[in-house]
Coordinates of all heavy atoms in Angstrom, one line a residue:
S42 N 128.1 72.7 96.5 CA 128.5 71.4 97.0 C 129.8 70.9 96.3 O 130.1 71.4 95.2 CB 127.4 70.3 96.7 OG 127.3 70.1 95.3
G43 N 130.5 70.0 97.0 CA 131.7 69.5 96.4 C 131.4 68.2 95.6 O 130.4 67.6 95.8
A44 N 132.4 67.8 94.8 CA 132.2 66.7 93.9 C 131.9 65.4 94.7 O 131.3 64.4 94.2 CB 133.4 66.5 93.0
A45 N 132.4 65.3 96.0 CA 132.3 64.1 96.8 C 130.9 63.9 97.4 O 130.5 62.9 97.9 CB 133.3 64.1 97.9
E46 N 130.1 65.0 97.3 CA 128.7 64.9 97.9 C 127.8 64.1 97.0 O 127.7 64.3 95.8 CB 128.1 66.3 98.1 CG 126.8 66.3 98.8 CD 126.3 67.7 99.2 OE1 127.0 68.3 100.0 OE2 125.3 68.1 98.6
T47 N 127.1 63.1 97.6 CA 126.2 62.3 96.9 C 125.1 63.1 96.3 O 124.4 63.9 97.0 CB 125.6 61.2 97.8 OG1 126.6 60.4 98.3 CG2 124.6 60.3 97.0
G48 N 124.9 63.0 95.0 CA 123.9 63.9 94.3 C 124.4 65.2 93.7 O 123.7 65.9 93.1
H49 N 125.7 65.4 93.9 CA 126.3 66.7 93.5 C 126.1 66.9 92.0 O 126.1 65.9 91.2 CB 127.8 66.6 93.7 CG 128.6 67.7 93.0 ND1 128.7 69.0 93.4 CD2 129.3 67.5 91.8 CE1 129.5 69.6 92.5 NE2 129.9 68.8 91.6
R50 N 125.8 68.1 91.6 CA 125.7 68.5 90.2 C 126.7 69.7 89.9 O 127.0 70.5 90.8 CB 124.3 69.0 89.9 CG 123.3 67.9 90.1 CD 121.9 68.3 89.6 NE 120.9 67.3 89.8 CZ 119.6 67.3 89.3 NH1 119.2 68.4 88.7 NH2 118.8 66.3 89.5
E53 N 126.2 73.3 91.0 CA 126.4 73.7 92.4 C 127.8 74.0 92.7 O 128.2 74.2 93.8 CB 125.9 72.5 93.2 CG 124.5 72.1 93.0 CD 124.1 70.7 93.6 OE1 125.0 70.1 94.2 OE2 123.0 70.3 93.4
T170 N 126.6 69.8 106.1 CA 126.2 68.5 105.5 C 125.3 68.7 104.4 O 124.8 69.7 104.1 CB 125.6 67.6 106.6 OG1 124.6 68.4 107.3 CG2 126.7 67.2 107.6
A171 N 125.0 67.5 103.7 CA 124.1 67.6 102.5 C 122.7 68.1 102.9 O 122.1 68.8 102.1 CB 124.0 66.2 101.9
Y172 N 122.2 67.7 104.1 CA 120.9 68.2 104.6 C 121.1 68.9 105.9 O 122.1 68.6 106.6 CB 120.0 67.0 104.8 CG 119.9 66.1 103.6 CD1 120.6 64.9 103.6 CD2 119.2 66.4 102.4 CE1 120.6 64.0 102.5 CE2 119.1 65.5 101.3 CZ 119.8 64.4 101.3 OH 119.7 63.5 100.3
E176 N 123.4 63.7 107.2 CA 123.5 62.9 106.0 C 122.4 61.8 106.0 O 122.1 61.3 107.0 CB 124.9 62.3 105.9 CG 126.1 63.3 106.0 CD 126.2 64.1 104.7 OE1 125.5 63.9 103.7 OE2 127.1 65.0 104.8
G177 N 121.9 61.5 104.8 CA 121.0 60.4 104.7 C 119.6 60.7 105.3 O 119.2 61.9 105.4
P274 N 115.4 62.5 96.9 CA 116.2 62.9 98.0 C 117.4 63.8 97.6 O 117.8 64.7 98.3 CB 116.7 61.5 98.6 CG 115.6 60.6 98.3 CD 115.1 61.0 96.9
A275 N 117.9 63.5 96.4 CA 119.1 64.4 96.0 C 118.6 65.8 95.8 O 119.4 66.8 96.0 CB 119.6 63.9 94.6
E276 N 117.4 66.1 95.6 CA 116.9 67.5 95.4 C 116.5 68.1 96.7 O 116.2 69.3 96.8 CB 115.7 67.5 94.4 CG 116.1 67.0 93.0 CD 114.9 67.1 92.1 OE1 113.9 67.6 92.4 OE2 115.1 66.5 90.9
A277 N 116.6 67.4 97.8 CA 116.3 67.9 99.1 C 117.6 68.5 99.8 O 117.6 69.1 100.8 CB 115.7 66.9 100.1
R278 N 118.7 68.2 99.1 CA 120.0 68.7 99.6 C 120.0 70.3 99.6 O 119.4 70.9 98.8 CB 121.2 68.3 98.7 CG 121.4 66.8 98.7 CD 122.5 66.3 97.8 NE 122.2 66.7 96.4 CZ 122.9 67.7 95.7 NH1 123.9 68.3 96.3 NH2 122.5 67.9 94.5
S279 N 120.7 70.8 100.6 CA 120.8 72.3 100.7 C 121.3 73.0 99.5 O 121.0 74.1 99.3 CB 121.6 72.7 102.0 OG 121.0 72.1 103.2
A280 N 122.2 72.3 98.8 CA 122.9 72.9 97.6 C 122.1 72.8 96.3 O 122.4 73.5 95.3 CB 124.3 72.3 97.4
F281 N 121.1 72.0 96.3 CA 120.4 71.7 95.0 C 119.7 73.0 94.5 O 119.1 73.8 95.3 CB 119.3 70.6 95.2 CG 118.6 70.4 93.9 CD1 119.2 69.6 92.9 CD2 117.3 70.9 93.7 CE1 118.5 69.4 91.7 CE2 116.6 70.6 92.6 CZ 117.2 69.9 91.5

Side-chain angles (χ1 to χ4, degrees):
S42 69
E46 182 171 297
T47 301
H49 164 81
R50 298 187 179 187
E53 301 163 5
T170 48
Y172 310 102
E176 305 286 355
E276 295 182 12
R278 293 177 301 110
S279 298
F281 179 77

